[in-house]
Amino acid sequence: SLSQAADAANAKLQADREQVQALRKKATGEMKDGTGKVKSAEDQLAAAKEAAARAEAMQKQAQEQAAKAQAMLAEARGKQEQAKALQTRGRQRIDTGKSLQSQADAIKGREEQEAEDAAAAIKREVAALESEAKYLADKARAARAAADAALESATAKLEAAEAKAKEAGEAEAKANHEFDEAAALKKDAHAAAEKAWASEAAADKAKSAAEAGQKKGEGDLATAQQDAAAAKLDQAEVKKEAEQVASLERRSGAWSAAHRVCLEVEGAGLRDAGNASDFAPLATDKDVSSADNCKAWCRQHESCAQAVFSSWDKHCALFAKATSEVKEWNPGFTSYLCGDEAQKGDIKEMFDTVKSQKPDIADPVQCSWSDEDCSSTKCCNEVSCSWDFKTCAGYSCYQNGDSAECMQTAAWNTGVIIGGARQTRKLQPAGSSTTRQGTSLFCFMVVNWKSKEEAIANNIKDKKLGIFECDGQSILTGWEVPKTPWATWMNAEAFVKLWQQLHDSGDYLRHDWTVKVDADTVFFPNMLRMHLDSLKVPQGSRAYVKNINYKFQFNGALEVYTREAVKWYFEKGGVCAERLLKAHEKAGEDFFMKTCMDSIGVDNLEDFMLLRDTTCGADCGSLDARCGDGWVAAYHAYRDVDAWTACHDEARAQADDGLVNAAAPAETQEFPAVDGKDARDANKLLQRATELNGQLQPHSKAAVAAAKDAAQRIDAAKDLIRDSKATIVAATKNASDAKDAEVAAEKAIKEAKAAEDKARKEADAQSATKQEGESEASAAKDLVAAAKQAEGQAEAMRKRAAAAEDKERTDIASLRVCLDLPGVRLTGKKELNATPIVMQPNTSSPEGCRDWCRGHNSCKQSVYSGGNKGCYLFAEAAAEAQEFTAGFNSSYCGAYEEQASLKGMVDAVYKTMPYVPPVPNCAWAGDNCLESKCCANIPVKFTEFQWYSCWKKDESFASCETGPAPGGWDGTLLGHMGTREVPKAPEGVLTQGTSLFCFCVVVWSRPATKPFWSSEAELANNIKNTGRSIMKCDDHAFFEGTGLNAGGDGSSINNIDSFIGAWKKVHDDGRYLHHDWTVKVDADAVFFPDRLRMHIQSLRTPQGSRVYLRNINFKFEFLGALEVFTKEALQLYFDKSWVCDGKVGHQGGEDYWMLACLDGIGVDHQTDHSLLNDKYAATGNCNDPWVVGFHFYKKVEHWNDCYEAAKNSAKINGKDYWQWE
């Protein structure tokens, strides 16, 4: 049995262990005894050597005395004899010492042999342990397999038995349930029979009652129909009399219209001339749903002097008085001045006064976009702006042949400039008699309810402040958007969608002005009304208000537009979303809206006292008195409820409580009816119609009431008849259903009894089956328990085998030693496969990896990699480092007597270790440089290299400033810029490898920027097709680029953000980590990777250095056509580039930005001005056999010609590398 086999194995294992322990004890004793004897021999040898030394000293002394004796022969003969005797004894001692040394050597040899024999015995013991471990492991695996099979069989039997028992139990339960259901059915059947008998009786009773109700309803219907006929006759008589009233009313209106006149003022909405009058009809229909009908109704009434019709809501306002004051000029309005023909002169005078108030609104100026022909407009819409949008420059219209195109105003653009940037137009104030824009405000606020804005918005809403003091208001829901490095919200695209919501609602159309207010802006609408009133804006103007004298003079905290400007934006502004959002991806919505309004021809107004903003300091009007100006309409930014409320209260206390004076009532004029025959006749007809209508009204009301009552009674009678008939039908059906239910119930009783008998029999049968299944399950459980016991025994055997293997490795390790090399990745030779027999060693740490090597006699070297927690063992040791990098740990392992040799290898490896200085943490401008004593080197301007110096102010502060130290400072110069040139590594020191990861950034969809150039895609495809340039690097990539912020030819214009995005793609791609160098190559640069490898070898860059290469002797020595970085330099850049986002300006191109960033964060450099020939530096010659890159060649044919010329130059100059170029 398994148990007996396990016991026998345990007994044998115990006997073997006792034998091994005895052997080990004996070997240990012999080793100790041998070690003692060796020590005794060594002590005797030392004593002999000491005696020999004393003898030699005595011999020397004797010789000296002999020499002295010769000089004093007469006096020292006795001493001479003594010296000879001493000499003889010394020689005897020397001989004795030599004899003792021979004996010690013999003893040492004997003990060394004994030690070797003991070591051999231990090795035999280890081999026996290893064999035992393998035997036990195999036996444990076999026992485990048998136990698993037995467990699987027993488990299957148990599952089958339990399933059988469960199935039987379920069947028994089902049978019992069916029995219960049959009993319940029997009971229900009896109840149904009793119910059927009762239903039949009730149905007969309901049928009799319904027949009586039907007869009553038929009688009521006849009576109500007679009354309805009489009411119809009365209504016909009333209608005939009403037609007489209507005829008189129409004749009166016609006679009035015949002698009255109305003058139409198209597009004018006259002010209300007092209260509007209804001029309601007597019997005719009043249709005033068109301008002509509105005029006609006023003309038909003697006392109507003014009518105003609005087309959008088809409203006709009628007045007994007239005014010449215009409220609004709008194509949807039509106004009329009406009176007697005799008053036509007065009406005409008022008409002329009205027309004189109409503002002269200039048409918007139309300019062209960059892909449109600007020959006719001679002006351009696009602008290119600095990174912070403080300065913007417009495009110019360049004439080339028969067409003209808007392009950046730059020296490299060809053609004749026939026009420049759009000139914005400042709106002039309205004249004294010109209609002015009203002051009705529609205000809206955008709130991100998942931010701090929620509390501020709820405070404004609860207290009815801010936008809730406008004439109309709305709150729109915003969402989180990203920020630029200079803290501007990139929210233009989001607000384009929000403005569309305003368009869809149309609420702004009912007000003169539309105002956008930020939630963190303290806003006073009535103060804004006073500002707008003082601007004297001509009514109907398309205009926005420049609100602050900072940057582009339009701050999004408070945006003010006329209704007409917003309508024009919705009509023409779609082009802005297509053009401006792409050109200025990082712009805020205020810059977008201002630029869009300018582009579509909206005029502007200036009122720099509208807004005060705390975010830009005194530059934009934020003075010491935070909210204490009684004339400012809005204060920004107060981003919590307490700060907002404090500012509001302070401003309210300072503000003038007066409101904009309400508009005075319009001056009105009456046109009294002329006392003529026509007017008298018309009034008589109207008076007669009024009298007749008064007599008719009681009769008409009575006829209508009678007809209504008769109709109601007819409906009630019909309902009664219909309900009675339905009741009869239902009662008849109920009686029939009751009979059927009675028969069905009797049948169900019989069926239920049969089912009850059947269910009882099935329950008895399933109960027996259940008992049988439970018995089988009990037997199966016993089998499972036995199988699990066997499995436990097998696991115990496996553990004993693992323990034997572990002891074997421990015993081997006890005779060996390992020396660690932290931070070193050794070159591997003859990799060793040290797969464990049973045990599961943990090699996921440097210590675990080293100890696994130490436990194997054949392992001489281990290398641990922290990146993947990998452990690599080798049968040969190499005294050669592949790299010095944190995260690696290598170890040399060998016998104790090899320790000196191992230490020599460690020393040899560390002699090749390069020196890589720590990263300098230099201070940026304005930071404290007292500790670092160096400055991050940012030039003040792109073209003027004025570097910062660290000046001491006092004992606690120093700052990086340009020029001399500020006045009043200590003035001690502590340091300058922190950039460092890395020297070449000494011979024998490990240098950076030459593995290259190269990439190009290509905007594949961008067309050629000049007709005589190729596109970036064509240049990149040529590189792919020819297998040249980056295709010859160890690895390469083409990354998709983004468009430039403001066009340009892709050289050095506004491409910083584009390339920051490209470097992020390099980081996310991750392949750069597998290579020593990363190279960014422009598609229009002719590049030779093999030449770069030779340059790198000559630079001897210390391995692991954070270095970029300065590539040309021009400007700042780093042009972007060919940028070369060590892997470690890029790792530091990706770790700290966020610092550059806020510290390095966006002047110049991406190469200058990258240089300033790398220098600032502490990346070192090496200089090789022969890396690049560039046309920008007037070094564009392709005939240099040593230069690595040639730039720029923007046509495929020219690129290939330059490549061939450079290759041919190498061949002519005898450079053998031309063959693989």
Side-chain angles (χ1 to χ4, degrees):
S1 67
L2 290 175
S3 177
Q4 291 172 343
D7 291 339
N10 284 335
K12 185 180 182 304
L13 176 61
Q14 184 64 30
D16 290 344
R17 281 181 176 173
E18 290 174 354
Q19 183 181 358
V20 168
Q21 288 175 352
L23 288 171
R24 178 178 290 172
K25 184 176 181 182
K26 180 181 178 182
T28 303
E30 290 175 349
M31 287 183 68
K32 287 181 178 179
D33 184 52
T35 302
K37 290 179 180 179
V38 169
K39 188 174 185 307
S40 176
E42 287 175 346
D43 292 341
Q44 292 178 18
L45 178 60
K49 287 181 178 179
E50 185 179 354
R54 286 199 302 271
E56 288 176 357
M58 291 173 70
Q59 183 181 12
K60 183 176 180 182
Q61 183 180 4
Q63 288 173 350
E64 290 175 352
Q65 289 175 352
K68 187 176 181 182
Q70 289 176 359
M72 301 173 65
L73 184 60
E75 299 176 358
R77 285 193 179 275
K79 290 183 180 180
Q80 185 177 21
E81 293 298 328
Q82 184 181 3
K84 288 180 180 180
L86 288 172
Q87 185 178 19
T88 301
R89 287 198 300 274
R91 287 174 179 168
Q92 290 175 350
R93 290 185 179 180
I94 290 174
D95 293 338
T96 301
K98 289 180 178 178
S99 175
L100 289 173
Q101 185 174 2
S102 298
Q103 293 177 15
D105 290 341
I107 293 171
K108 182 178 181 183
R110 194 164 53 251
E111 295 302 330
E112 286 177 349
Q113 182 62 44
E114 291 175 354
E116 289 178 3
D117 293 341
I122 291 174
K123 287 183 178 179
R124 287 193 298 273
E125 177 188 358
V126 168
L129 285 171
E130 184 173 356
S131 299
E132 178 190 2
K134 290 181 179 178
Y135 166 76
L136 289 174
D138 293 339
K139 191 171 181 181
R141 280 193 286 269
R144 179 62 181 267
D148 287 345
L151 177 61
E152 183 177 357
S153 173
T155 303
K157 290 181 180 179
L158 174 61
E159 289 175 352
E162 288 178 342
K164 183 177 179 181
K166 182 180 179 182
E167 184 178 354
E170 290 175 350
E172 181 184 13
K174 181 179 179 182
N176 289 328
H177 179 67
E178 290 175 351
F179 178 81
D180 293 340
E181 284 184 339
L185 286 173
K186 183 178 177 182
K187 181 179 180 182
D188 291 343
H190 282 294
E194 294 175 357
K195 185 177 180 181
W197 298 327
S199 297
E200 185 177 7
D204 291 338
K205 184 177 181 181
K207 182 177 180 181
S208 300
E211 289 173 346
Q214 181 179 356
K215 290 180 181 179
K216 181 179 183 303
E218 290 170 350
D220 292 344
L221 177 61
T223 303
Q225 287 175 339
Q226 291 174 358
D227 293 343
K232 188 174 182 181
L233 292 174
D234 289 344
Q235 282 184 312
E237 183 66 25
V238 169
K239 185 176 181 181
K240 183 177 180 181
E241 294 174 355
E243 182 58 34
Q244 294 178 1
V245 174
S247 176
L248 291 172
E249 187 177 10
R250 284 192 291 271
R251 287 173 60 194
S252 172
W255 285 3
S256 294
H259 71 89
R260 283 168 56 80
V261 63
C262 290
L263 295 185
E264 176 181 322
V265 190
E266 187 177 0
L270 294 176
R271 292 184 62 183
D272 292 351
N275 296 324
S277 300
D278 188 24
F279 294 100
L282 296 174
T284 59
D285 293 329
K286 179 182 179 182
D287 179 12
V288 290
S289 60
S290 68
D292 289 341
N293 289 353
C294 181
K295 176 185 70 174
W297 194 259
C298 184
R299 189 174 178 181
Q300 292 168 11
H301 291 79
E302 293 290 334
S303 58
C304 182
Q306 174 180 306
V308 180
F309 181 78
S310 53
S311 60
W312 56 86
D313 57 357
K314 300 186 181 302
H315 177 66
C316 176
L318 304 173
F319 300 91
K321 297 180 181 180
T323 181
S324 60
E325 295 182 23
V326 180
K327 178 182 179 182
E328 179 179 346
W329 291 92
N330 189 311
F333 279 119
T334 305
S335 295
Y336 300 93
L337 298 172
C338 299
D340 195 276
E341 182 71 31
Q343 300 164 326
K344 189 172 183 179
D346 296 334
I347 297 173
K348 181 63 170 62
E349 183 178 347
M350 292 185 70
F351 174 84
D352 292 339
T353 301
V354 170
K355 296 291 285 185
S356 68
Q357 299 172 50
K358 186 174 183 178
D360 183 16
I361 307 299
D363 292 331
V365 177
Q366 300 296 321
C367 291
S368 303
W369 297 93
S370 58
D371 58 353
E372 299 173 347
D373 192 325
C374 55
S375 301
S376 59
T377 64
K378 293 183 174 56
C379 62
C380 301
N381 283 324
E382 273 105 342
V383 295
S384 60
C385 299
S386 62
W387 64 272
D388 58 357
F389 297 97
K390 284 187 177 180
T391 58
C392 295
Y395 278 33
S396 294
C397 179
Y398 285 83
Q399 180 81 44
N400 283 288
D402 296 333
S403 64
E405 181 182 358
C406 288
M407 296 185 290
Q408 270 195 307
T409 309
W412 57 80
N413 285 322
T414 60
V416 178
I417 296 179
I418 61 173
R422 159 187 295 281
Q423 297 299 313
T424 59
R425 189 168 58 194
K426 184 176 181 181
L427 189 66
Q428 299 302 312
S432 58
S433 62
T434 303
T435 304
R436 299 181 188 177
Q437 192 83 354
T439 58
S440 173
L441 304 179
F442 174 75
C443 307
F444 73 96
M445 182 167 61
V446 178
V447 179
N448 178 5
W449 297 102
K450 297 180 179 180
S451 70
K452 292 181 179 180
E453 291 179 352
E454 178 186 12
I456 301 175
N458 285 330
N459 178 62
I460 294 171
K461 184 166 62 174
D462 294 343
K463 296 180 179 178
K464 301 302 179 188
L465 301 175
I467 66 170
F468 290 93
E469 297 176 288
C470 297
D471 303 280
Q473 62 282 133
S474 177
I475 296 181
L476 305 181
T477 298
W479 54 91
E480 187 73 26
V481 295
K483 274 187 176 183
T484 64
W486 51 94
T488 293
W489 293 107
M490 294 186 287
N491 55 358
E493 186 173 1
F495 268 85
V496 168
K497 298 175 182 177
L498 293 167
W499 276 102
Q500 185 61 37
Q501 293 183 32
L502 293 183
H503 170 269
D504 296 343
S505 72
D507 294 336
Y508 77 96
L509 290 168
R510 293 191 286 273
H511 304 279
D512 303 303
W513 297 85
T514 297
V515 185
K516 190 223 99 179
V517 187
D518 284 354
D520 57 356
T521 299
V522 179
F523 171 50
F524 297 94
N526 193 60
M527 193 65 68
L528 175 60
R529 292 186 183 96
M530 289 191 280
H531 279 261
L532 298 176
D533 188 55
S534 67
L535 288 173
K536 301 177 181 179
V537 179
Q539 194 276 319
S541 298
R542 291 174 288 270
Y544 69 92
V545 183
K546 293 183 177 181
N547 56 18
I548 196 165
N549 193 17
Y550 180 66
K551 284 190 178 180
F552 45 87
Q553 299 181 331
F554 189 72
N555 188 310
L558 180 72
E559 300 176 14
V560 184
Y561 311 88
T562 62
R563 172 182 54 237
E564 291 74 17
V566 177
K567 286 176 64 178
W568 189 246
Y569 166 75
F570 288 137
E571 182 176 345
K572 298 292 185 180
V575 69
C576 299
E578 298 173 8
R579 307 275 187 166
L580 299 179
L581 288 179
K582 294 178 181 178
H584 306 284
E585 294 178 345
K586 295 189 176 181
E589 65 86 23
D590 46 8
F591 177 83
F592 169 83
M593 285 300 291
K594 177 193 180 297
T595 307
C596 180
M597 290 294 183
D598 290 341
S599 298
I600 62 178
V602 174
D603 299 329
N604 63 76
L605 301 154
E606 281 187 7
D607 187 346
F608 293 153
M609 290 301 293
L610 270 186
L611 173 67
R612 178 165 295 161
D613 195 310
T614 63
T615 62
C616 50
D619 290 343
C620 62
S622 178
L623 307 178
D624 293 337
R626 185 180 60 171
C627 300
D629 192 316
W631 178 235
V632 172
Y635 301 87
H636 180 257
Y638 296 92
R639 292 173 178 156
D640 61 67
V641 173
D642 291 341
W644 195 98
T645 302
C647 178
H648 180 274
D649 294 345
E650 181 182 353
R652 178 71 80 188
Q654 294 294 328
D656 183 1
D657 290 335
L659 302 176
V660 175
N661 294 327
E667 296 183 5
T668 59
Q669 182 175 350
E670 292 187 80
F671 298 115
V674 177
D675 189 19
K677 182 177 181 303
D678 292 336
R680 288 196 299 275
D681 291 344
N683 285 331
K684 286 180 181 179
L685 287 172
L686 185 60
Q687 182 177 2
R688 181 180 173 189
T690 302
E691 292 172 353
L692 184 59
N693 185 58
Q695 298 170 2
L696 180 64
Q697 287 306 312
H699 187 192
S700 175
K701 290 179 180 178
V704 170
K708 182 177 180 181
D709 178 64
Q712 289 175 346
R713 286 191 287 119
I714 289 172
D715 290 341
K718 288 180 178 179
D719 290 343
L720 179 60
I721 294 170
R722 182 178 64 250
D723 293 343
S724 298
K725 287 181 178 180
T727 302
I728 292 170
V729 172
T732 302
K733 186 176 184 304
N734 288 341
S736 176
D737 291 344
K739 286 283 187 184
D740 294 342
E742 184 179 353
V743 173
E746 292 173 351
K747 182 180 178 182
I749 291 171
K750 292 179 181 179
E751 291 176 349
K753 189 174 185 307
E756 186 177 15
D757 295 339
K758 182 180 178 183
R760 182 178 292 107
K761 291 178 181 179
E762 180 67 20
D764 294 342
Q766 293 301 330
S767 177
T769 303
K770 180 181 178 183
Q771 291 176 358
E772 180 182 354
E774 289 174 347
S775 177
E776 292 176 357
S778 177
K781 286 180 180 178
D782 294 339
L783 290 174
V784 170
K788 287 185 176 179
Q789 182 179 6
E791 187 179 45
Q793 292 171 350
E795 176 62 19
M797 293 177 69
R798 188 198 69 77
K799 289 181 178 179
R800 287 197 295 272
E805 183 182 7
D806 182 53
K807 186 174 185 305
E808 170 201 351
R809 299 301 166 211
T810 303
D811 289 343
I812 293 174
S814 68
L815 300 175
R816 306 184 78 224
V817 65
C818 292
L819 299 183
D820 288 341
L821 293 86
V824 178
R825 179 187 177 190
L826 291 173
T827 301
K829 295 182 180 180
K830 198 175 179 181
E831 190 167 356
L832 178 66
N833 182 14
T835 305
I837 299 171
V838 180
M839 63 183 296
Q840 298 175 342
N842 181 9
T843 59
S844 61
S845 67
E847 297 79 12
C849 181
R850 177 199 62 210
D851 291 344
W852 190 241
C853 179
R854 186 176 179 180
H856 292 78
N857 280 319
S858 55
C859 183
K860 305 299 181 183
Q861 174 182 303
S862 68
V863 177
Y864 173 79
S865 171
N868 62 353
K869 298 189 181 299
C871 179
Y872 308 93
L873 307 184
F874 301 93
E876 291 184 7
E880 179 183 344
Q882 189 169 344
E883 65 177 296
F884 292 87
T885 305
F888 283 103
N889 184 84
S890 297
S891 301
Y892 289 128
C893 295
Y896 275 107
E897 55 268 22
E898 298 176 297
Q899 189 166 358
S901 173
L902 299 180
K903 187 175 185 306
M905 295 175 71
V906 171
D907 293 340
V909 168
Y910 278 117
K911 285 181 180 178
T912 68
M913 183 176 180
Y915 171 68
V916 178
V919 178
N921 186 23
C922 295
W924 296 87
D927 295 341
N928 193 344
C929 60
L930 193 63
E931 182 177 348
S932 67
K933 295 181 174 56
C934 63
C935 300
N937 48 314
I938 309 174
V940 178
K941 296 181 180 178
F942 171 54
T943 56
E944 297 178 15
F945 296 93
Q946 302 176 16
W947 304 93
Y948 285 84
S949 297
C950 178
W951 296 101
K952 182 178 180 181
K953 179 182 180 182
D954 51 37
E955 294 304 319
S956 62
F957 186 77
S959 178
C960 291
E961 307 285 339
T962 57
W969 284 32
D970 176 284
T972 301
L973 177 61
L974 301 181
H976 296 287
M977 60 186 183
T979 56
R980 297 182 301 208
E981 174 89 22
V982 173
K984 291 184 178 181
E987 291 295 331
V989 171
L990 192 63
T991 59
Q992 193 82 353
T994 59
S995 173
L996 305 179
F997 172 67
C998 309
F999 70 94
C1000 284
V1001 179
V1002 182
V1003 183
W1004 295 99
S1005 60
R1006 182 190 178 109
T1009 54
K1010 302 291 182 184
F1012 44 82
W1013 285 350
S1014 302
S1015 67
E1016 282 189 355
E1018 291 170 330
L1019 290 168
N1021 285 326
N1022 175 62
I1023 292 173
K1024 288 184 178 181
N1025 295 335
T1026 59
R1028 295 170 170 174
S1029 185
I1030 68 171
M1031 306 295 289
K1032 289 183 176 292
C1033 296
D1034 299 276
D1035 201 352
H1036 68 274
F1038 290 91
F1039 293 115
E1040 175 71 35
T1042 57
L1044 305 183
N1045 288 350
D1049 64 359
S1051 54
S1052 296
I1053 302 170
N1054 295 320
N1055 60 354
I1056 295 172
D1057 294 333
S1058 174
F1059 272 88
I1060 288 176
W1063 280 111
K1064 185 178 186 302
K1065 292 179 181 178
V1066 172
H1067 172 270
D1068 295 343
D1069 176 82
R1071 280 182 284 172
Y1072 80 96
L1073 289 168
H1074 304 305
H1075 301 279
D1076 303 303
W1077 297 84
T1078 295
V1079 187
K1080 192 220 87 177
V1081 185
D1082 285 355
D1084 59 354
V1086 179
F1087 169 52
F1088 293 90
D1090 283 322
R1091 295 189 187 184
L1092 177 58
R1093 293 187 181 97
M1094 289 186 284
H1095 279 254
I1096 289 172
Q1097 288 173 344
S1098 67
L1099 285 170
R1100 293 193 57 79
T1101 308
Q1103 189 271 323
S1105 296
R1106 298 170 290 272
V1107 164
Y1108 71 91
L1109 301 185
R1110 295 192 174 181
N1111 54 21
I1112 194 168
N1113 190 17
F1114 177 70
K1115 282 191 175 179
F1116 43 88
E1117 301 181 287
F1118 185 75
L1119 294 189
L1122 180 69
E1123 300 179 6
V1124 187
F1125 314 86
T1126 62
K1127 171 180 62 182
E1128 293 76 10
L1130 282 188
Q1131 287 176 310
L1132 181 59
Y1133 166 74
F1134 290 135
D1135 186 45
K1136 300 186 70 174
S1137 61
W1138 62 271
V1139 177
C1140 303
D1141 290 341
K1143 298 294 187 179
V1144 180
H1146 280 217
Q1147 314 99 307
E1150 63 85 21
D1151 46 9
Y1152 175 74
W1153 187 91
M1154 195 68 173
L1155 170 82
C1157 178
L1158 294 176
D1159 284 346
I1161 63 177
V1163 175
D1164 300 323
H1165 66 270
Q1166 287 184 296
T1167 302
D1168 186 348
H1169 288 161
S1170 59
L1171 283 178
L1172 178 65
N1173 273 7
D1174 200 306
K1175 291 182 181 180
Y1176 288 127
T1179 59
N1181 192 338
C1182 295
N1183 297 319
D1184 193 316
W1186 180 237
V1187 169
V1188 173
F1190 304 88
H1191 182 255
F1192 53 93
Y1193 295 91
K1194 295 182 180 290
K1195 191 173 181 63
V1196 170
E1197 292 83 350
H1198 298 166
W1199 195 100
N1200 289 333
D1201 290 344
C1202 180
Y1203 192 95
E1204 293 297 335
K1207 178 179 176 182
N1208 190 51
S1209 175
K1211 181 178 180 181
I1212 293 173
N1213 285 275
K1215 308 296 184 183
D1216 57 356
Y1217 51 79
W1218 71 270
Q1219 300 176 67
W1220 55 81
E1221 290 182 341

